[in-house]
Structures are given as C-alpha cells and as structure tokens.
PDB file of all heavy atoms in Angstrom:
ATOM      1  N   PHE A  80       4.307  10.374  22.589  1.00 57.00           N
ATOM      2  CA  PHE A  80       3.015  10.332  23.265  1.00 57.00           C
ATOM      3  C   PHE A  80       2.398   8.949  23.366  1.00 57.00           C
ATOM      4  O   PHE A  80       1.319   8.814  23.940  1.00 57.00           O
ATOM      5  CB  PHE A  80       2.018  11.253  22.535  1.00 57.00           C
ATOM      6  CG  PHE A  80       2.345  12.697  22.662  1.00 57.00           C
ATOM      7  CD1 PHE A  80       3.102  13.332  21.706  1.00 57.00           C
ATOM      8  CD2 PHE A  80       1.923  13.438  23.755  1.00 57.00           C
ATOM      9  CE1 PHE A  80       3.422  14.681  21.818  1.00 57.00           C
ATOM     10  CE2 PHE A  80       2.240  14.765  23.885  1.00 57.00           C
ATOM     11  CZ  PHE A  80       2.983  15.390  22.901  1.00 57.00           C
ATOM     12  N   SER A  81       3.036   7.943  22.827  1.00 61.00           N
ATOM     13  CA  SER A  81       2.411   6.628  22.836  1.00 61.00           C
ATOM     14  C   SER A  81       3.425   5.503  23.009  1.00 61.00           C
ATOM     15  O   SER A  81       4.534   5.573  22.481  1.00 61.00           O
ATOM     16  CB  SER A  81       1.642   6.407  21.523  1.00 61.00           C
ATOM     17  OG  SER A  81       1.083   5.109  21.478  1.00 61.00           O
ATOM     18  N   LEU A  82       3.038   4.486  23.780  1.00 62.00           N
ATOM     19  CA  LEU A  82       3.827   3.269  23.916  1.00 62.00           C
ATOM     20  C   LEU A  82       3.322   2.162  23.004  1.00 62.00           C
ATOM     21  O   LEU A  82       3.845   1.046  23.019  1.00 62.00           O
ATOM     22  CB  LEU A  82       3.769   2.769  25.376  1.00 62.00           C
ATOM     23  CG  LEU A  82       4.400   3.678  26.429  1.00 62.00           C
ATOM     24  CD1 LEU A  82       4.209   3.076  27.823  1.00 62.00           C
ATOM     25  CD2 LEU A  82       5.874   3.906  26.146  1.00 62.00           C
ATOM     26  N   THR A  83       2.325   2.473  22.176  1.00 67.00           N
ATOM     27  CA  THR A  83       1.759   1.484  21.289  1.00 67.00           C
ATOM     28  C   THR A  83       2.785   0.850  20.364  1.00 67.00           C
ATOM     29  O   THR A  83       2.767  -0.372  20.143  1.00 67.00           O
ATOM     30  CB  THR A  83       0.612   2.093  20.471  1.00 67.00           C
ATOM     31  OG1 THR A  83      -0.378   2.588  21.363  1.00 67.00           O
ATOM     32  CG2 THR A  83      -0.008   1.073  19.551  1.00 67.00           C
ATOM     33  N   PRO A  84       3.726   1.612  19.757  1.00 70.00           N
ATOM     34  CA  PRO A  84       4.718   0.961  18.895  1.00 70.00           C
ATOM     35  C   PRO A  84       5.555  -0.080  19.627  1.00 70.00           C
ATOM     36  O   PRO A  84       5.914  -1.105  19.056  1.00 70.00           O
ATOM     37  CB  PRO A  84       5.594   2.135  18.422  1.00 70.00           C
ATOM     38  CG  PRO A  84       4.687   3.306  18.453  1.00 70.00           C
ATOM     39  CD  PRO A  84       3.827   3.076  19.665  1.00 70.00           C
ATOM     40  N   LEU A  85       5.875   0.162  20.901  1.00 67.00           N
ATOM     41  CA  LEU A  85       6.613  -0.833  21.684  1.00 67.00           C
ATOM     42  C   LEU A  85       5.768  -2.098  21.876  1.00 67.00           C
ATOM     43  O   LEU A  85       6.269  -3.213  21.776  1.00 67.00           O
ATOM     44  CB  LEU A  85       7.029  -0.256  23.033  1.00 67.00           C
ATOM     45  CG  LEU A  85       8.144   0.794  23.019  1.00 67.00           C
ATOM     46  CD1 LEU A  85       8.366   1.322  24.410  1.00 67.00           C
ATOM     47  CD2 LEU A  85       9.418   0.200  22.461  1.00 67.00           C
ATOM     48  N   ARG A  86       4.498  -1.896  22.153  1.00 67.00           N
ATOM     49  CA  ARG A  86       3.612  -3.047  22.300  1.00 67.00           C
ATOM     50  C   ARG A  86       3.460  -3.762  20.951  1.00 67.00           C
ATOM     51  O   ARG A  86       3.319  -5.000  20.902  1.00 67.00           O
ATOM     52  CB  ARG A  86       2.245  -2.590  22.837  1.00 67.00           C
ATOM     53  CG  ARG A  86       2.330  -1.950  24.228  1.00 67.00           C
ATOM     54  CD  ARG A  86       0.959  -1.739  24.806  1.00 67.00           C
ATOM     55  NE  ARG A  86       1.041  -1.121  26.135  1.00 67.00           N
ATOM     56  CZ  ARG A  86       0.817   0.161  26.380  1.00 67.00           C
ATOM     57  NH1 ARG A  86       0.459   0.965  25.380  1.00 67.00           N
ATOM     58  NH2 ARG A  86       0.930   0.648  27.597  1.00 67.00           N
ATOM     59  N   PHE A  87       3.467  -2.990  19.872  1.00 72.00           N
ATOM     60  CA  PHE A  87       3.374  -3.573  18.543  1.00 72.00           C
ATOM     61  C   PHE A  87       4.575  -4.489  18.302  1.00 72.00           C
ATOM     62  O   PHE A  87       4.453  -5.582  17.754  1.00 72.00           O
ATOM     63  CB  PHE A  87       3.309  -2.462  17.504  1.00 72.00           C
ATOM     64  CG  PHE A  87       3.289  -2.941  16.090  1.00 72.00           C
ATOM     65  CD1 PHE A  87       2.211  -3.681  15.614  1.00 72.00           C
ATOM     66  CD2 PHE A  87       4.336  -2.662  15.228  1.00 72.00           C
ATOM     67  CE1 PHE A  87       2.185  -4.113  14.292  1.00 72.00           C
ATOM     68  CE2 PHE A  87       4.315  -3.097  13.921  1.00 72.00           C
ATOM     69  CZ  PHE A  87       3.238  -3.833  13.452  1.00 72.00           C
ATOM     70  N   ALA A  88       5.759  -4.026  18.708  1.00 69.00           N
ATOM     71  CA  ALA A  88       6.964  -4.858  18.554  1.00 69.00           C
ATOM     72  C   ALA A  88       6.867  -6.124  19.378  1.00 69.00           C
ATOM     73  O   ALA A  88       7.290  -7.193  18.954  1.00 69.00           O
ATOM     74  CB  ALA A  88       8.201  -4.054  18.972  1.00 69.00           C
ATOM     75  N   THR A  89       6.273  -6.015  20.559  1.00 68.00           N
ATOM     76  CA  THR A  89       6.083  -7.197  21.415  1.00 68.00           C
ATOM     77  C   THR A  89       5.165  -8.200  20.742  1.00 68.00           C
ATOM     78  O   THR A  89       5.438  -9.416  20.728  1.00 68.00           O
ATOM     79  CB  THR A  89       5.508  -6.781  22.781  1.00 68.00           C
ATOM     80  OG1 THR A  89       6.406  -5.861  23.404  1.00 68.00           O
ATOM     81  CG2 THR A  89       5.337  -7.997  23.679  1.00 68.00           C
ATOM     82  N   TRP A  90       4.051  -7.713  20.197  1.00 71.00           N
ATOM     83  CA  TRP A  90       3.117  -8.606  19.511  1.00 71.00           C
ATOM     84  C   TRP A  90       3.750  -9.233  18.280  1.00 71.00           C
ATOM     85  O   TRP A  90       3.484 -10.402  17.953  1.00 71.00           O
ATOM     86  CB  TRP A  90       1.852  -7.853  19.123  1.00 71.00           C
ATOM     87  CG  TRP A  90       0.931  -7.638  20.269  1.00 71.00           C
ATOM     88  CD1 TRP A  90       0.665  -6.481  20.939  1.00 71.00           C
ATOM     89  CD2 TRP A  90       0.144  -8.643  20.937  1.00 71.00           C
ATOM     90  NE1 TRP A  90      -0.217  -6.681  21.961  1.00 71.00           N
ATOM     91  CE2 TRP A  90      -0.570  -8.010  21.993  1.00 71.00           C
ATOM     92  CE3 TRP A  90      -0.033 -10.015  20.746  1.00 71.00           C
ATOM     93  CZ2 TRP A  90      -1.435  -8.694  22.832  1.00 71.00           C
ATOM     94  CZ3 TRP A  90      -0.907 -10.703  21.590  1.00 71.00           C
ATOM     95  CH2 TRP A  90      -1.588 -10.051  22.605  1.00 71.00           C
ATOM     96  N   LEU A  91       4.580  -8.460  17.561  1.00 70.00           N
ATOM     97  CA  LEU A  91       5.282  -9.046  16.412  1.00 70.00           C
ATOM     98  C   LEU A  91       6.188 -10.181  16.861  1.00 70.00           C
ATOM     99  O   LEU A  91       6.296 -11.232  16.198  1.00 70.00           O
ATOM    100  CB  LEU A  91       6.096  -7.977  15.694  1.00 70.00           C
ATOM    101  CG  LEU A  91       5.341  -7.008  14.784  1.00 70.00           C
ATOM    102  CD1 LEU A  91       6.307  -5.994  14.194  1.00 70.00           C
ATOM    103  CD2 LEU A  91       4.619  -7.756  13.677  1.00 70.00           C
ATOM    104  N   GLY A  92       6.870  -9.990  18.002  1.00 69.00           N
ATOM    105  CA  GLY A  92       7.727 -11.051  18.525  1.00 69.00           C
ATOM    106  C   GLY A  92       6.936 -12.277  18.895  1.00 69.00           C
ATOM    107  O   GLY A  92       7.355 -13.417  18.609  1.00 69.00           O
ATOM    108  N   LEU A  93       5.762 -12.088  19.529  1.00 68.00           N
ATOM    109  CA  LEU A  93       4.913 -13.223  19.885  1.00 68.00           C
ATOM    110  C   LEU A  93       4.418 -13.959  18.642  1.00 68.00           C
ATOM    111  O   LEU A  93       4.419 -15.205  18.590  1.00 68.00           O
ATOM    112  CB  LEU A  93       3.733 -12.741  20.738  1.00 68.00           C
ATOM    113  CG  LEU A  93       4.064 -12.242  22.143  1.00 68.00           C
ATOM    114  CD1 LEU A  93       2.836 -11.698  22.815  1.00 68.00           C
ATOM    115  CD2 LEU A  93       4.680 -13.373  22.983  1.00 68.00           C
ATOM    116  N   LEU A  94       3.987 -13.193  17.638  1.00 73.00           N
ATOM    117  CA  LEU A  94       3.506 -13.828  16.395  1.00 73.00           C
ATOM    118  C   LEU A  94       4.647 -14.574  15.710  1.00 73.00           C
ATOM    119  O   LEU A  94       4.430 -15.673  15.155  1.00 73.00           O
ATOM    120  CB  LEU A  94       2.930 -12.774  15.477  1.00 73.00           C
ATOM    121  CG  LEU A  94       1.616 -12.122  15.920  1.00 73.00           C
ATOM    122  CD1 LEU A  94       1.190 -11.024  14.958  1.00 73.00           C
ATOM    123  CD2 LEU A  94       0.510 -13.180  16.020  1.00 73.00           C
ATOM    124  N   GLY A  95       5.861 -13.979  15.733  1.00 69.00           N
ATOM    125  CA  GLY A  95       7.005 -14.664  15.156  1.00 69.00           C
ATOM    126  C   GLY A  95       7.300 -15.972  15.873  1.00 69.00           C
ATOM    127  O   GLY A  95       7.644 -16.976  15.256  1.00 69.00           O
ATOM    128  N   GLY A  96       7.181 -15.941  17.204  1.00 67.00           N
ATOM    129  CA  GLY A  96       7.392 -17.164  17.982  1.00 67.00           C
ATOM    130  C   GLY A  96       6.374 -18.235  17.649  1.00 67.00           C
ATOM    131  O   GLY A  96       6.703 -19.408  17.519  1.00 67.00           O
ATOM    132  N   LEU A  97       5.102 -17.821  17.504  1.00 71.00           N
ATOM    133  CA  LEU A  97       4.062 -18.796  17.143  1.00 71.00           C
ATOM    134  C   LEU A  97       4.302 -19.374  15.749  1.00 71.00           C
ATOM    135  O   LEU A  97       4.098 -20.574  15.513  1.00 71.00           O
ATOM    136  CB  LEU A  97       2.690 -18.121  17.200  1.00 71.00           C
ATOM    137  CG  LEU A  97       2.200 -17.733  18.590  1.00 71.00           C
ATOM    138  CD1 LEU A  97       0.871 -16.966  18.488  1.00 71.00           C
ATOM    139  CD2 LEU A  97       2.037 -18.954  19.468  1.00 71.00           C
ATOM    140  N   ALA A  98       4.739 -18.514  14.832  1.00 72.00           N
ATOM    141  CA  ALA A  98       5.042 -18.988  13.486  1.00 72.00           C
ATOM    142  C   ALA A  98       6.190 -19.993  13.512  1.00 72.00           C
ATOM    143  O   ALA A  98       6.157 -21.011  12.807  1.00 72.00           O
ATOM    144  CB  ALA A  98       5.375 -17.814  12.575  1.00 72.00           C
ATOM    145  N   ALA A  99       7.198 -19.718  14.346  1.00 67.00           N
ATOM    146  CA  ALA A  99       8.318 -20.654  14.451  1.00 67.00           C
ATOM    147  C   ALA A  99       7.871 -22.001  15.002  1.00 67.00           C
ATOM    148  O   ALA A  99       8.321 -23.059  14.560  1.00 67.00           O
ATOM    149  CB  ALA A  99       9.416 -20.039  15.333  1.00 67.00           C
ATOM    150  N   LEU A 100       6.980 -21.948  16.021  1.00 66.00           N
ATOM    151  CA  LEU A 100       6.448 -23.218  16.573  1.00 66.00           C
ATOM    152  C   LEU A 100       5.654 -23.978  15.518  1.00 66.00           C
ATOM    153  O   LEU A 100       5.717 -25.221  15.444  1.00 66.00           O
ATOM    154  CB  LEU A 100       5.561 -22.917  17.773  1.00 66.00           C
ATOM    155  CG  LEU A 100       6.286 -22.427  19.041  1.00 66.00           C
ATOM    156  CD1 LEU A 100       5.261 -22.063  20.113  1.00 66.00           C
ATOM    157  CD2 LEU A 100       7.236 -23.507  19.557  1.00 66.00           C
ATOM    158  N   GLY A 101       4.918 -23.246  14.667  1.00 72.00           N
ATOM    159  CA  GLY A 101       4.161 -23.909  13.621  1.00 72.00           C
ATOM    160  C   GLY A 101       5.064 -24.590  12.612  1.00 72.00           C
ATOM    161  O   GLY A 101       4.813 -25.721  12.165  1.00 72.00           O
ATOM    162  N   VAL A 102       6.160 -23.896  12.254  1.00 67.00           N
ATOM    163  CA  VAL A 102       7.118 -24.500  11.321  1.00 67.00           C
ATOM    164  C   VAL A 102       7.778 -25.725  11.945  1.00 67.00           C
ATOM    165  O   VAL A 102       7.987 -26.753  11.280  1.00 67.00           O
ATOM    166  CB  VAL A 102       8.186 -23.457  10.921  1.00 67.00           C
ATOM    167  CG1 VAL A 102       9.302 -24.112  10.114  1.00 67.00           C
ATOM    168  CG2 VAL A 102       7.547 -22.348  10.120  1.00 67.00           C
ATOM    169  N   LEU A 103       8.086 -25.658  13.257  1.00 65.00           N
ATOM    170  CA  LEU A 103       8.677 -26.800  13.944  1.00 65.00           C
ATOM    171  C   LEU A 103       7.728 -27.987  13.965  1.00 65.00           C
ATOM    172  O   LEU A 103       8.137 -29.124  13.704  1.00 65.00           O
ATOM    173  CB  LEU A 103       9.064 -26.395  15.369  1.00 65.00           C
ATOM    174  CG  LEU A 103       9.638 -27.513  16.266  1.00 65.00           C
ATOM    175  CD1 LEU A 103      10.945 -28.040  15.660  1.00 65.00           C
ATOM    176  CD2 LEU A 103       9.875 -26.996  17.686  1.00 65.00           C
ATOM    177  N   ALA A 104       6.464 -27.727  14.253  1.00 72.00           N
ATOM    178  CA  ALA A 104       5.473 -28.813  14.268  1.00 72.00           C
ATOM    179  C   ALA A 104       5.341 -29.438  12.887  1.00 72.00           C
ATOM    180  O   ALA A 104       5.233 -30.677  12.745  1.00 72.00           O
ATOM    181  CB  ALA A 104       4.125 -28.272  14.739  1.00 72.00           C
ATOM    182  N   TYR A 105       5.334 -28.587  11.864  1.00 69.00           N
ATOM    183  CA  TYR A 105       5.245 -29.106  10.488  1.00 69.00           C
ATOM    184  C   TYR A 105       6.439 -29.989  10.169  1.00 69.00           C
ATOM    185  O   TYR A 105       6.282 -31.069   9.552  1.00 69.00           O
ATOM    186  CB  TYR A 105       5.158 -27.915   9.523  1.00 69.00           C
ATOM    187  CG  TYR A 105       5.238 -28.326   8.067  1.00 69.00           C
ATOM    188  CD1 TYR A 105       4.140 -28.931   7.435  1.00 69.00           C
ATOM    189  CD2 TYR A 105       6.394 -28.115   7.331  1.00 69.00           C
ATOM    190  CE1 TYR A 105       4.208 -29.312   6.097  1.00 69.00           C
ATOM    191  CE2 TYR A 105       6.478 -28.489   6.009  1.00 69.00           C
ATOM    192  CZ  TYR A 105       5.386 -29.090   5.394  1.00 69.00           C
ATOM    193  OH  TYR A 105       5.458 -29.466   4.084  1.00 69.00           O
ATOM    194  N   ALA A 106       7.625 -29.563  10.586  1.00 65.00           N
ATOM    195  CA  ALA A 106       8.828 -30.339  10.292  1.00 65.00           C
ATOM    196  C   ALA A 106       8.805 -31.693  11.009  1.00 65.00           C
ATOM    197  O   ALA A 106       9.178 -32.715  10.421  1.00 65.00           O
ATOM    198  CB  ALA A 106      10.072 -29.557  10.707  1.00 65.00           C
TER     199      ALA A 106
END
C-alpha cells in the first residue's frame, strides 16, 4: 500500500552520497 520505503531507500542513497562527498572534502 505504500511507496514510502522505496523513497526511503532513495533518501538513504542521497545521504550516503553526501556523506561520501564530506569524507572526500575532509581528505
């Protein structure tokens, strides 16, 4: 009944990407 979990996975991917950019900037 809901597509929210799929959107949740998308947001997790975006947050993971932002975290990776932060680690790259720190390095």
Side-chain angles (χ1 to χ4, degrees):
F80 291 94
S81 176
L82 295 177
T83 301
L85 289 176
R86 298 190 180 103
F87 177 65
T89 301
W90 283 107
L91 283 178
L93 292 175
L94 291 176
L97 292 175
L100 290 176
V102 172
L103 176 62
Y105 172 75

